[in-house]
Structure formats: structure tokens, C-alpha cells
Amino acid sequence: MASDRKPKAVIVGGSIAGVSTALALCSTGWEVVVLEKTSSPSTGSPTGAGLGLDSLSLRIIGSWLSQPELLHHSTIPLTIDQNQVTDSEKKVNRTLTRDESFNFRAAHWNDLHGLLYNALPPNVFLWGHLFLSSHIADDIASVAVKAKVLKTGEIIEIVGNLLVAADGCLSSIRQKFIPHFKLRYSGYWAWRGVLDFSKAENSETITSIREAYPDLGKCLYFDLGSGTHSVFYELQNKRLNWIWYVNQPEPEVQGTSVTMKVSRDMIQKMLQEAEKVWIPELVNVMKETEDPFLNFIYDSDPLDKIFWDNVVLVGDAAHPTSPHCLRSTNMSILDAAVLGKCIEKWGDQKLRSALEEYQSIRLPVSWKQVLHARRLGRIKQGLEPFDPKSPRPEDCQELQQKNIPFFNHVPSILNSI
């Protein structure tokens, strides 16, 4: 790399993993280009989703922001982790486990992405650019990336010193290096939705749901039924986030997304089934949610390798995981921070050493968290022996988020954050 210019990274994918990696690398002095196929930044679409940020992710994000207080203002605390069983006949909930020392904050995807995106220097993102291919130079000092400008059809080439695959669980870059890789279908999909009640704060639905879930605004609720479970919590700006997991045969995934918009008939059938399982207060929230959608839940067996020469995987491209431990976003942010610190430590002249250390730090953690999330989902969906009506004490312990492997672990390379 020439000493008179900055090293350059090309990041494919502009979701949370991509924008986080861009911030981490910009903070080390690298030039960064992000290729994102969508045409423009998100404008707050109601089909976004809620997510939970752990204390380490909050610290990392705060270190990237010139105004860290903005993160506090766009999230709300989750101080309680509660698992409860739903009696579908009597339509009542009974607490199984309750941890009042939970230390997360809840965010809406669009709010978090906008906060991170606005912290970047201008012109880092190339919107409406579809990644096509990459080629590593013989001396491994550079990588050439071809992309299509979707608006014009023009093919462009960008040359950088590092290619970062942040292109999600269906990563085409990963597929090039692991051609036989296949995602593993979990056995269930998830109905998701966010109810905006800002204009109906005193409605019967909101009054009733606050009575049924008295710790809304600070609690992460997991409701367990027979062979199913749901997740429920509040978001900033008077929104309620809900997820309902339903055992189903594997669907046929179309295109490059595991998210699907649904028809009105599908929504009506979902609501009819929800009435059989959940308490009416939760069902009413589902009924009043605009544009609920489906996520097909996949993960993968842990990878043995997450970099090749000067190409590296981050986020769901590196470790597709089911969402039951709230790890996908947190793992992506941690990937970005560790990658940035490794590159800062070794310098751009020793990029391979930096990527080797990144891999050595992240692989053991992601392996255990992916497999733990898989087991937790199977337990809650009745795919492992578990009776929520009469669980063993050790089963209840396993349900708690604080028992995730490496739950409070901070890599030493991040001690300065």
C-alpha cells in the first residue's frame, strides 16, 4: 500500500453490520465505500423491526457518535427479562422466570440505522449499487469489486485493499469462498409487526395491554405456549414490537431476502390462529398492527473460517443465527468494533495479521452463541423436550438471556472503548 494515500475498504451491504463496519474503519483512518443495493436511506417504514442492544453494543456505538446522548434518546431501557407460560384455554399468563438485572435497551431498526448512518462522513454510501463480483490481485495487496448502478445499468469497478462482506445471511461473497454452504432452516417462521399507538395512547387496546403486561416500557416479555412462543416489548416513540414464531415446513425463499410481505388473507388466517393461542390483549395488538410481515428463520452450522486473503465476513454473512438470544445485531456491532481495533493495532501493512486476530477473537464466541440460540429456539418451539406448564428448574434457567455463552464478555482488544 502506498504510504501517501489512505488504505481503502469496500463494504458490500449497508444494513447494521455494514454501517457499523464503516464507522469502525473510518475511525481508524481508512477510506471507506459502502455498496448498498437499495436506492436510498430508510425513511421509517412501518415494516421495520425492533431489536435489543446489550451494554457492550451501547458502549461501542457511543464511541462512534459525536453526540452519544442521541442513542439514549432513541432507545428505551429493558431492565427485566421475563419468560411466562400462556394457558391457551383460560387465556392467562403465569411467570416462569424473571431477571430484574437485565441491562439492554430496545431500538427500532430504522432509528438505529439512521443514527449510525448520520454519524458517517458524507458520500461513504453508494446507494442503488448492486455487487456483482470481486477479484483479488495476485499480490493480495488489492481487490477489485464490480457493481451495477441500478438506475442506469452502468457497470463500475472499485479497487480497495480490503473487501468486507456485510451482505447478510444469504451472502453471495461467502458463497464464492464456500460454494457448498447452505443455510439451515429452523423449522419455523416468525410473524412480526410494530404497532404505532402514538395517536391512540388511551385506547382500550393500549389500556388493556398495559394491564396485562404491567412492565411494558422496561421488560422483554417471552410468552410460551404449546409448541410456540412470542416476544413482546415496547419501543421509543410509543410503539409496540411483537414477534410470533410458528412451526411450519420450509418455504421457498424468493430472491435474496428471508423476509416476505404477506396478503390480507394470510394475515386474517394468522389472527384466527393467534386467538386460539394468546391472551386477547396481545391478539388485539396484532390486529391493529399495520403491515405485519414474515421472517423465515434460518441459521447455519458455525463456519471454520471468516476471512480469505483480504476478504472478510461480518454480521450475518459470518454467522447466520436465529434471533432468540437477541444476538444478530449485537454480534454485527461487535464484529465491526473488533475488526476495526485489530486493523488499528496491526496497521494496514499487516492486514493479514489483523484479520487472523479478528477471526481468532470472534469465531469461538459466535460458534457458541449461534448454537445456544438454536437450542433455545427449539426448546421454546417444542422441538426439544420441554413442557412450559411443568418445566424443570434447570429448563427455566436455560430460558434466561443471562445464561447465553459470553453474555458479559468484553474482548481485551476493546478495553479502550
mmCIF file of all heavy atoms in Angstrom, residues 184-225:
data_model
loop_
_atom_site.group_PDB
_atom_site.id
_atom_site.type_symbol
_atom_site.label_atom_id
_atom_site.label_comp_id
_atom_site.label_asym_id
_atom_site.label_seq_id
_atom_site.Cartn_x
_atom_site.Cartn_y
_atom_site.Cartn_z
ATOM 1 N N ARG A 184 -29.418 -23.429 7.254
ATOM 2 C CA ARG A 184 -30.210 -24.461 7.915
ATOM 3 C C ARG A 184 -31.544 -23.855 8.341
ATOM 4 O O ARG A 184 -31.595 -22.907 9.120
ATOM 5 C CB ARG A 184 -29.461 -24.994 9.142
ATOM 6 C CG ARG A 184 -30.282 -25.922 10.006
ATOM 7 C CD ARG A 184 -29.628 -26.121 11.355
ATOM 8 N NE ARG A 184 -30.578 -26.697 12.296
ATOM 9 C CZ ARG A 184 -31.438 -25.998 13.014
ATOM 10 N NH1 ARG A 184 -31.511 -24.687 12.882
ATOM 11 N NH2 ARG A 184 -32.261 -26.596 13.848
ATOM 12 N N TYR A 185 -32.640 -24.391 7.819
ATOM 13 C CA TYR A 185 -33.963 -23.899 8.201
ATOM 14 C C TYR A 185 -34.284 -24.385 9.612
ATOM 15 O O TYR A 185 -34.080 -25.552 9.962
ATOM 16 C CB TYR A 185 -35.017 -24.390 7.220
ATOM 17 C CG TYR A 185 -36.426 -23.929 7.546
ATOM 18 C CD1 TYR A 185 -36.716 -22.576 7.664
ATOM 19 C CD2 TYR A 185 -37.457 -24.838 7.741
ATOM 20 C CE1 TYR A 185 -38.000 -22.140 7.966
ATOM 21 C CE2 TYR A 185 -38.742 -24.414 8.034
ATOM 22 C CZ TYR A 185 -39.001 -23.068 8.153
ATOM 23 O OH TYR A 185 -40.279 -22.645 8.458
ATOM 24 N N SER A 186 -34.827 -23.509 10.431
ATOM 25 C CA SER A 186 -35.055 -23.792 11.847
ATOM 26 C C SER A 186 -36.252 -24.707 12.099
ATOM 27 O O SER A 186 -36.340 -25.349 13.143
ATOM 28 C CB SER A 186 -35.285 -22.477 12.594
ATOM 29 O OG SER A 186 -36.476 -21.868 12.130
ATOM 30 N N GLY A 187 -37.187 -24.741 11.155
ATOM 31 C CA GLY A 187 -38.433 -25.481 11.377
ATOM 32 C C GLY A 187 -39.615 -24.568 11.662
ATOM 33 O O GLY A 187 -40.730 -25.046 11.860
ATOM 34 N N TYR A 188 -39.381 -23.257 11.667
ATOM 35 C CA TYR A 188 -40.466 -22.318 11.970
ATOM 36 C C TYR A 188 -40.167 -20.961 11.327
ATOM 37 O O TYR A 188 -39.043 -20.662 10.938
ATOM 38 C CB TYR A 188 -40.652 -22.160 13.482
ATOM 39 C CG TYR A 188 -39.383 -21.921 14.258
ATOM 40 C CD1 TYR A 188 -38.907 -20.646 14.508
ATOM 41 C CD2 TYR A 188 -38.629 -23.000 14.741
ATOM 42 C CE1 TYR A 188 -37.738 -20.434 15.215
ATOM 43 C CE2 TYR A 188 -37.464 -22.799 15.452
ATOM 44 C CZ TYR A 188 -37.011 -21.508 15.688
ATOM 45 O OH TYR A 188 -35.845 -21.303 16.384
ATOM 46 N N TRP A 189 -41.221 -20.187 11.198
ATOM 47 C CA TRP A 189 -41.068 -18.807 10.734
ATOM 48 C C TRP A 189 -41.630 -17.862 11.781
ATOM 49 O O TRP A 189 -42.176 -18.293 12.790
ATOM 50 C CB TRP A 189 -41.704 -18.588 9.347
ATOM 51 C CG TRP A 189 -43.195 -18.791 9.243
ATOM 52 C CD1 TRP A 189 -44.135 -18.572 10.205
ATOM 53 C CD2 TRP A 189 -43.912 -19.238 8.083
ATOM 54 N NE1 TRP A 189 -45.399 -18.838 9.739
ATOM 55 C CE2 TRP A 189 -45.293 -19.247 8.427
ATOM 56 C CE3 TRP A 189 -43.546 -19.591 6.796
ATOM 57 C CZ2 TRP A 189 -46.295 -19.622 7.528
ATOM 58 C CZ3 TRP A 189 -44.542 -19.969 5.910
ATOM 59 C CH2 TRP A 189 -45.897 -19.995 6.262
ATOM 60 N N ALA A 190 -41.466 -16.552 11.547
ATOM 61 C CA ALA A 190 -41.887 -15.563 12.534
ATOM 62 C C ALA A 190 -42.778 -14.514 11.896
ATOM 63 O O ALA A 190 -42.405 -13.892 10.899
ATOM 64 C CB ALA A 190 -40.670 -14.886 13.165
ATOM 65 N N TRP A 191 -43.957 -14.338 12.467
ATOM 66 C CA TRP A 191 -44.781 -13.173 12.171
ATOM 67 C C TRP A 191 -44.253 -12.012 13.005
ATOM 68 O O TRP A 191 -43.999 -12.166 14.209
ATOM 69 C CB TRP A 191 -46.242 -13.433 12.521
ATOM 70 C CG TRP A 191 -46.972 -14.249 11.508
ATOM 71 C CD1 TRP A 191 -47.203 -15.588 11.523
ATOM 72 C CD2 TRP A 191 -47.587 -13.751 10.306
ATOM 73 N NE1 TRP A 191 -47.914 -15.972 10.414
ATOM 74 C CE2 TRP A 191 -48.178 -14.868 9.643
ATOM 75 C CE3 TRP A 191 -47.707 -12.486 9.726
ATOM 76 C CZ2 TRP A 191 -48.859 -14.740 8.444
ATOM 77 C CZ3 TRP A 191 -48.385 -12.356 8.525
ATOM 78 C CH2 TRP A 191 -48.956 -13.472 7.894
ATOM 79 N N ARG A 192 -44.109 -10.849 12.374
ATOM 80 C CA ARG A 192 -43.551 -9.693 13.073
ATOM 81 C C ARG A 192 -44.376 -8.451 12.778
ATOM 82 O O ARG A 192 -44.974 -8.325 11.708
ATOM 83 C CB ARG A 192 -42.105 -9.431 12.657
ATOM 84 C CG ARG A 192 -41.187 -10.609 12.793
ATOM 85 C CD ARG A 192 -39.743 -10.223 12.651
ATOM 86 N NE ARG A 192 -39.324 -9.394 13.778
ATOM 87 C CZ ARG A 192 -38.040 -9.174 14.099
ATOM 88 N NH1 ARG A 192 -37.082 -9.720 13.377
ATOM 89 N NH2 ARG A 192 -37.720 -8.423 15.126
ATOM 90 N N GLY A 193 -44.371 -7.544 13.721
ATOM 91 C CA GLY A 193 -45.062 -6.291 13.496
ATOM 92 C C GLY A 193 -44.715 -5.258 14.560
ATOM 93 O O GLY A 193 -44.253 -5.594 15.654
ATOM 94 N N VAL A 194 -44.926 -3.998 14.217
ATOM 95 C CA VAL A 194 -44.740 -2.882 15.147
ATOM 96 C C VAL A 194 -46.008 -2.044 15.118
ATOM 97 O O VAL A 194 -46.402 -1.533 14.066
ATOM 98 C CB VAL A 194 -43.519 -2.023 14.761
ATOM 99 C CG1 VAL A 194 -43.416 -0.802 15.680
ATOM 100 C CG2 VAL A 194 -42.235 -2.845 14.838
ATOM 101 N N LEU A 195 -46.660 -1.924 16.277
ATOM 102 C CA LEU A 195 -47.871 -1.111 16.392
ATOM 103 C C LEU A 195 -47.496 0.282 16.866
ATOM 104 O O LEU A 195 -46.945 0.461 17.950
ATOM 105 C CB LEU A 195 -48.849 -1.749 17.384
ATOM 106 C CG LEU A 195 -50.086 -0.894 17.726
ATOM 107 C CD1 LEU A 195 -50.942 -0.637 16.488
ATOM 108 C CD2 LEU A 195 -50.904 -1.545 18.832
ATOM 109 N N ASP A 196 -47.801 1.280 16.046
ATOM 110 C CA ASP A 196 -47.629 2.686 16.426
ATOM 111 C C ASP A 196 -48.927 3.146 17.094
ATOM 112 O O ASP A 196 -49.966 3.231 16.457
ATOM 113 C CB ASP A 196 -47.355 3.516 15.169
ATOM 114 C CG ASP A 196 -47.125 4.998 15.468
ATOM 115 O OD1 ASP A 196 -47.499 5.454 16.577
ATOM 116 O OD2 ASP A 196 -46.601 5.697 14.591
ATOM 117 N N PHE A 197 -48.843 3.425 18.419
ATOM 118 C CA PHE A 197 -50.051 3.836 19.128
ATOM 119 C C PHE A 197 -49.965 5.294 19.572
ATOM 120 O O PHE A 197 -50.651 5.721 20.494
ATOM 121 C CB PHE A 197 -50.298 2.918 20.339
ATOM 122 C CG PHE A 197 -49.244 2.957 21.410
ATOM 123 C CD1 PHE A 197 -49.351 3.821 22.495
ATOM 124 C CD2 PHE A 197 -48.148 2.111 21.353
ATOM 125 C CE1 PHE A 197 -48.390 3.855 23.489
ATOM 126 C CE2 PHE A 197 -47.183 2.132 22.350
ATOM 127 C CZ PHE A 197 -47.300 3.010 23.418
ATOM 128 N N SER A 198 -49.136 6.074 18.873
ATOM 129 C CA SER A 198 -48.935 7.474 19.262
ATOM 130 C C SER A 198 -50.216 8.298 19.172
ATOM 131 O O SER A 198 -50.359 9.298 19.872
ATOM 132 C CB SER A 198 -47.843 8.113 18.394
ATOM 133 O OG SER A 198 -48.178 8.015 17.015
ATOM 134 N N LYS A 199 -51.157 7.866 18.332
ATOM 135 C CA LYS A 199 -52.418 8.598 18.204
ATOM 136 C C LYS A 199 -53.561 7.881 18.911
ATOM 137 O O LYS A 199 -54.732 8.258 18.745
ATOM 138 C CB LYS A 199 -52.754 8.783 16.720
ATOM 139 C CG LYS A 199 -51.732 9.634 15.966
ATOM 140 C CD LYS A 199 -52.102 9.770 14.492
ATOM 141 C CE LYS A 199 -51.053 10.608 13.759
ATOM 142 N NZ LYS A 199 -51.364 10.714 12.301
ATOM 143 N N ALA A 200 -53.215 6.872 19.695
ATOM 144 C CA ALA A 200 -54.259 6.103 20.392
ATOM 145 C C ALA A 200 -53.763 5.666 21.767
ATOM 146 O O ALA A 200 -53.987 4.534 22.191
ATOM 147 C CB ALA A 200 -54.653 4.892 19.551
ATOM 148 N N GLU A 201 -53.098 6.581 22.464
ATOM 149 C CA GLU A 201 -52.485 6.228 23.748
ATOM 150 C C GLU A 201 -53.497 5.772 24.789
ATOM 151 O O GLU A 201 -53.174 4.961 25.661
ATOM 152 C CB GLU A 201 -51.722 7.428 24.310
ATOM 153 C CG GLU A 201 -50.508 7.831 23.511
ATOM 154 C CD GLU A 201 -49.792 9.002 24.139
ATOM 155 O OE1 GLU A 201 -49.344 8.865 25.292
ATOM 156 O OE2 GLU A 201 -49.716 10.073 23.491
ATOM 157 N N ASN A 202 -54.704 6.300 24.702
ATOM 158 C CA ASN A 202 -55.724 5.987 25.707
ATOM 159 C C ASN A 202 -56.789 5.040 25.185
ATOM 160 O O ASN A 202 -57.856 4.912 25.789
ATOM 161 C CB ASN A 202 -56.365 7.281 26.211
ATOM 162 C CG ASN A 202 -55.351 8.208 26.863
ATOM 163 O OD1 ASN A 202 -54.535 7.769 27.664
ATOM 164 N ND2 ASN A 202 -55.397 9.494 26.503
ATOM 165 N N SER A 203 -56.502 4.363 24.086
ATOM 166 C CA SER A 203 -57.475 3.436 23.519
ATOM 167 C C SER A 203 -57.630 2.228 24.422
ATOM 168 O O SER A 203 -56.774 1.929 25.268
ATOM 169 C CB SER A 203 -57.041 2.988 22.127
ATOM 170 O OG SER A 203 -55.884 2.176 22.212
ATOM 171 N N GLU A 204 -58.715 1.492 24.217
ATOM 172 C CA GLU A 204 -58.956 0.298 25.022
ATOM 173 C C GLU A 204 -57.852 -0.736 24.807
ATOM 174 O O GLU A 204 -57.426 -1.413 25.758
ATOM 175 C CB GLU A 204 -60.318 -0.304 24.665
ATOM 176 C CG GLU A 204 -60.676 -1.525 25.514
ATOM 177 C CD GLU A 204 -62.053 -2.086 25.205
ATOM 178 O OE1 GLU A 204 -62.835 -1.399 24.494
ATOM 179 O OE2 GLU A 204 -62.346 -3.203 25.656
ATOM 180 N N THR A 205 -57.356 -0.857 23.577
ATOM 181 C CA THR A 205 -56.300 -1.815 23.290
ATOM 182 C C THR A 205 -55.050 -1.512 24.098
ATOM 183 O O THR A 205 -54.451 -2.413 24.711
ATOM 184 C CB THR A 205 -55.967 -1.805 21.785
ATOM 185 O OG1 THR A 205 -57.094 -2.294 21.054
ATOM 186 C CG2 THR A 205 -54.754 -2.692 21.482
ATOM 187 N N ILE A 206 -54.645 -0.245 24.142
ATOM 188 C CA ILE A 206 -53.422 0.133 24.854
ATOM 189 C C ILE A 206 -53.626 0.064 26.363
ATOM 190 O O ILE A 206 -52.747 -0.416 27.101
ATOM 191 C CB ILE A 206 -52.946 1.532 24.422
ATOM 192 C CG1 ILE A 206 -52.665 1.545 22.903
ATOM 193 C CG2 ILE A 206 -51.722 1.944 25.207
ATOM 194 C CD1 ILE A 206 -51.670 0.483 22.455
ATOM 195 N N THR A 207 -54.763 0.501 26.830
ATOM 196 C CA THR A 207 -55.053 0.411 28.265
ATOM 197 C C THR A 207 -55.036 -1.043 28.727
ATOM 198 O O THR A 207 -54.454 -1.385 29.765
ATOM 199 C CB THR A 207 -56.412 1.044 28.579
ATOM 200 O OG1 THR A 207 -56.396 2.424 28.181
ATOM 201 C CG2 THR A 207 -56.719 0.970 30.065
ATOM 202 N N SER A 208 -55.652 -1.907 27.939
ATOM 203 C CA SER A 208 -55.738 -3.325 28.306
ATOM 204 C C SER A 208 -54.389 -4.015 28.249
ATOM 205 O O SER A 208 -54.050 -4.831 29.111
ATOM 206 C CB SER A 208 -56.730 -4.047 27.380
ATOM 207 O OG SER A 208 -58.025 -3.504 27.509
ATOM 208 N N ILE A 209 -53.582 -3.687 27.221
ATOM 209 C CA ILE A 209 -52.297 -4.361 27.102
ATOM 210 C C ILE A 209 -51.366 -3.949 28.229
ATOM 211 O O ILE A 209 -50.559 -4.744 28.716
ATOM 212 C CB ILE A 209 -51.656 -4.099 25.718
ATOM 213 C CG1 ILE A 209 -50.581 -5.157 25.402
ATOM 214 C CG2 ILE A 209 -51.045 -2.718 25.620
ATOM 215 C CD1 ILE A 209 -51.091 -6.542 25.192
ATOM 216 N N ARG A 210 -51.485 -2.716 28.704
ATOM 217 C CA ARG A 210 -50.640 -2.272 29.818
ATOM 218 C C ARG A 210 -51.065 -2.945 31.128
ATOM 219 O O ARG A 210 -50.238 -3.152 32.009
ATOM 220 C CB ARG A 210 -50.679 -0.754 29.953
ATOM 221 C CG ARG A 210 -49.991 -0.022 28.804
ATOM 222 C CD ARG A 210 -49.485 1.340 29.206
ATOM 223 N NE ARG A 210 -48.828 2.023 28.114
ATOM 224 C CZ ARG A 210 -47.568 1.814 27.742
ATOM 225 N NH1 ARG A 210 -46.831 0.893 28.359
ATOM 226 N NH2 ARG A 210 -47.031 2.501 26.755
ATOM 227 N N GLU A 211 -52.320 -3.298 31.233
ATOM 228 C CA GLU A 211 -52.766 -4.038 32.416
ATOM 229 C C GLU A 211 -52.279 -5.485 32.357
ATOM 230 O O GLU A 211 -51.868 -6.063 33.367
ATOM 231 C CB GLU A 211 -54.290 -3.995 32.510
ATOM 232 C CG GLU A 211 -54.849 -2.625 32.847
ATOM 233 C CD GLU A 211 -56.362 -2.588 32.854
ATOM 234 O OE1 GLU A 211 -56.981 -3.625 32.507
ATOM 235 O OE2 GLU A 211 -56.937 -1.532 33.179
ATOM 236 N N ALA A 212 -52.310 -6.061 31.158
ATOM 237 C CA ALA A 212 -51.890 -7.458 31.003
ATOM 238 C C ALA A 212 -50.368 -7.612 31.073
ATOM 239 O O ALA A 212 -49.864 -8.651 31.518
ATOM 240 C CB ALA A 212 -52.411 -8.004 29.676
ATOM 241 N N TYR A 213 -49.643 -6.577 30.629
ATOM 242 C CA TYR A 213 -48.180 -6.579 30.655
ATOM 243 C C TYR A 213 -47.728 -5.334 31.417
ATOM 244 O O TYR A 213 -47.297 -4.342 30.814
ATOM 245 C CB TYR A 213 -47.613 -6.577 29.232
ATOM 246 C CG TYR A 213 -47.924 -7.826 28.428
ATOM 247 C CD1 TYR A 213 -49.151 -7.976 27.776
ATOM 248 C CD2 TYR A 213 -46.982 -8.842 28.303
ATOM 249 C CE1 TYR A 213 -49.432 -9.119 27.038
ATOM 250 C CE2 TYR A 213 -47.250 -9.982 27.560
ATOM 251 C CZ TYR A 213 -48.475 -10.109 26.940
ATOM 252 O OH TYR A 213 -48.753 -11.243 26.210
ATOM 253 N N PRO A 214 -47.803 -5.360 32.741
ATOM 254 C CA PRO A 214 -47.619 -4.147 33.550
ATOM 255 C C PRO A 214 -46.226 -3.539 33.480
ATOM 256 O O PRO A 214 -46.060 -2.364 33.816
ATOM 257 C CB PRO A 214 -47.939 -4.622 34.975
ATOM 258 C CG PRO A 214 -47.774 -6.105 34.938
ATOM 259 C CD PRO A 214 -48.150 -6.525 33.573
ATOM 260 N N ASP A 215 -45.231 -4.301 33.035
ATOM 261 C CA ASP A 215 -43.872 -3.761 32.970
ATOM 262 C C ASP A 215 -43.462 -3.351 31.562
ATOM 263 O O ASP A 215 -42.260 -3.186 31.290
ATOM 264 C CB ASP A 215 -42.882 -4.782 33.534
ATOM 265 C CG ASP A 215 -43.016 -4.944 35.035
ATOM 266 O OD1 ASP A 215 -43.129 -3.913 35.733
ATOM 267 O OD2 ASP A 215 -43.042 -6.101 35.518
ATOM 268 N N LEU A 216 -44.435 -3.174 30.672
ATOM 269 C CA LEU A 216 -44.112 -2.667 29.337
ATOM 270 C C LEU A 216 -43.363 -1.346 29.477
ATOM 271 O O LEU A 216 -43.706 -0.499 30.293
ATOM 272 C CB LEU A 216 -45.387 -2.446 28.517
ATOM 273 C CG LEU A 216 -45.850 -3.592 27.628
ATOM 274 C CD1 LEU A 216 -47.140 -3.216 26.912
ATOM 275 C CD2 LEU A 216 -44.788 -4.007 26.621
ATOM 276 N N GLY A 217 -42.360 -1.172 28.646
ATOM 277 C CA GLY A 217 -41.529 0.016 28.751
ATOM 278 C C GLY A 217 -40.216 -0.268 29.437
ATOM 279 O O GLY A 217 -39.274 0.534 29.354
ATOM 280 N N LYS A 218 -40.124 -1.440 30.097
ATOM 281 C CA LYS A 218 -38.857 -1.825 30.714
ATOM 282 C C LYS A 218 -38.635 -3.338 30.703
ATOM 283 O O LYS A 218 -37.612 -3.808 31.193
ATOM 284 C CB LYS A 218 -38.768 -1.316 32.141
ATOM 285 C CG LYS A 218 -39.864 -1.827 33.070
ATOM 286 C CD LYS A 218 -39.698 -1.244 34.477
ATOM 287 C CE LYS A 218 -40.776 -1.749 35.431
ATOM 288 N NZ LYS A 218 -40.618 -1.195 36.789
ATOM 289 N N CYS A 219 -39.574 -4.100 30.136
ATOM 290 C CA CYS A 219 -39.487 -5.561 30.199
ATOM 291 C C CYS A 219 -39.471 -6.185 28.803
ATOM 292 O O CYS A 219 -40.206 -5.761 27.902
ATOM 293 C CB CYS A 219 -40.673 -6.119 30.991
ATOM 294 S SG CYS A 219 -40.616 -7.911 31.244
ATOM 295 N N LEU A 220 -38.619 -7.194 28.656
ATOM 296 C CA LEU A 220 -38.600 -8.054 27.478
ATOM 297 C C LEU A 220 -39.413 -9.294 27.828
ATOM 298 O O LEU A 220 -38.998 -10.107 28.649
ATOM 299 C CB LEU A 220 -37.159 -8.433 27.133
ATOM 300 C CG LEU A 220 -36.935 -9.447 26.014
ATOM 301 C CD1 LEU A 220 -37.417 -8.902 24.677
ATOM 302 C CD2 LEU A 220 -35.449 -9.830 25.934
ATOM 303 N N TYR A 221 -40.619 -9.388 27.248
ATOM 304 C CA TYR A 221 -41.530 -10.490 27.562
ATOM 305 C C TYR A 221 -41.391 -11.620 26.546
ATOM 306 O O TYR A 221 -41.437 -11.390 25.335
ATOM 307 C CB TYR A 221 -42.982 -10.006 27.528
ATOM 308 C CG TYR A 221 -43.433 -9.191 28.711
ATOM 309 C CD1 TYR A 221 -43.519 -7.808 28.627
ATOM 310 C CD2 TYR A 221 -43.805 -9.800 29.906
ATOM 311 C CE1 TYR A 221 -43.966 -7.042 29.704
ATOM 312 C CE2 TYR A 221 -44.255 -9.059 30.992
ATOM 313 C CZ TYR A 221 -44.325 -7.683 30.885
ATOM 314 O OH TYR A 221 -44.771 -6.934 31.958
ATOM 315 N N PHE A 222 -41.266 -12.849 27.051
ATOM 316 C CA PHE A 222 -41.362 -14.047 26.229
ATOM 317 C C PHE A 222 -42.571 -14.837 26.719
ATOM 318 O O PHE A 222 -42.616 -15.243 27.887
ATOM 319 C CB PHE A 222 -40.110 -14.913 26.365
ATOM 320 C CG PHE A 222 -38.863 -14.301 25.800
ATOM 321 C CD1 PHE A 222 -38.019 -13.557 26.612
ATOM 322 C CD2 PHE A 222 -38.529 -14.464 24.461
ATOM 323 C CE1 PHE A 222 -36.862 -12.992 26.104
ATOM 324 C CE2 PHE A 222 -37.374 -13.904 23.951
ATOM 325 C CZ PHE A 222 -36.531 -13.157 24.772
ATOM 326 N N ASP A 223 -43.556 -15.034 25.839
ATOM 327 C CA ASP A 223 -44.727 -15.848 26.169
ATOM 328 C C ASP A 223 -44.569 -17.214 25.517
ATOM 329 O O ASP A 223 -44.375 -17.312 24.304
ATOM 330 C CB ASP A 223 -46.009 -15.196 25.644
ATOM 331 C CG ASP A 223 -46.355 -13.906 26.370
ATOM 332 O OD1 ASP A 223 -45.726 -13.625 27.410
ATOM 333 O OD2 ASP A 223 -47.244 -13.178 25.895
ATOM 334 N N LEU A 224 -44.665 -18.274 26.333
ATOM 335 C CA LEU A 224 -44.505 -19.636 25.825
ATOM 336 C C LEU A 224 -45.840 -20.353 25.834
ATOM 337 O O LEU A 224 -46.526 -20.402 26.867
ATOM 338 C CB LEU A 224 -43.505 -20.420 26.685
ATOM 339 C CG LEU A 224 -42.012 -20.191 26.414
ATOM 340 C CD1 LEU A 224 -41.602 -18.775 26.807
ATOM 341 C CD2 LEU A 224 -41.176 -21.197 27.192
ATOM 342 N N GLY A 225 -46.227 -20.861 24.665
ATOM 343 C CA GLY A 225 -47.414 -21.678 24.544
ATOM 344 C C GLY A 225 -47.022 -23.115 24.250
ATOM 345 O O GLY A 225 -45.857 -23.503 24.390
#
